[in-house]
Amino acid sequence: MAAVLVDSNVLLDILTADPQWESWSAAALQEAGADAALVINPLIFAEVSVGFSSIEALDAALPGDLYRREDLPYEAAFLAGKCFARYRRDGGARRSPLPDFYVGAHAAVAGYRLLTRDATRYRTYFPRLTLIAP
C-alpha cells in the first residue's frame, strides 16, 4: 500500500478547527487516507503535542490504528542536513525550523507523498517529492 506522510500543519488545522484551513485539510486527509497509509514521525508528533496536556490525549487524537508511526531514517537525517545547508547558503534565516527539512527528507527517502499546506520550501528543496497541497 502506498503511504502519505502527514505534515503537522494539516493535523493542527483539523485539531484546532482552523477557520481558514480546517475544511481543506480534513478533505485532503480523508482523500489521502482512502488509498494510502497515513504516516507520522516523532517530529510531527512533537509539533502537534504542544496543544495537548498529556500524551494520552495526544495518542487519542492521533490513534495508532489511523496514523502509522515511523522513526526517522538516518538517510533522511543526512538529506535534511544537506538541504538545510543549501537553504542557509541561499540566505535562509536561522529561525527556519530544521524539522521541516526532516519531514521533507523522510518523505523523499521513503518514497512517500507528503500532505502539507506549506509547499513552497518542499518544492524548492525536494523537487522530486510528490506533494498533496493547496
Side-chain angles (χ1 to χ4, degrees), residues 7-129:
D7 200 356
S8 59
N9 54 38
V10 171
L11 297 170
L12 289 168
D13 290 344
I14 297 164
L15 294 169
T16 64
D18 183 275
Q20 181 178 355
W21 290 105
E22 180 185 20
S23 293
W24 181 88
S25 292
L29 185 66
Q30 184 175 10
E31 186 176 328
D35 67 350
L38 300 174
V39 178
I40 60 173
N41 65 34
L43 292 169
I44 294 164
F45 192 83
E47 289 177 334
V48 173
S49 76
V50 173
F52 290 84
S53 59
S54 70
I55 194 166
E56 293 81 10
L58 180 56
D59 282 337
L62 300 175
D65 61 334
L66 183 57
Y67 299 97
R68 185 171 76 205
R69 297 175 184 192
E70 291 187 3
D71 291 330
L72 288 164
Y74 278 87
E75 294 85 356
F78 181 82
L79 179 58
K82 295 301 178 194
C83 289
F84 185 73
R86 180 175 153 221
Y87 166 81
R88 291 291 299 133
R89 279 194 308 274
D90 292 346
R94 286 192 190 276
R95 69 181 185 282
S96 175
L98 183 57
D100 288 349
F101 290 96
Y102 270 115
V103 168
H106 182 180
V109 166
Y112 298 159
R113 292 176 289 158
L114 177 62
L115 173 57
T116 185
R117 66 171 168 73
D118 185 20
T120 302
R121 184 172 298 140
Y122 297 118
R123 283 191 180 115
T124 301
Y125 294 96
F126 303 95
R128 290 182 288 219
L129 184 60

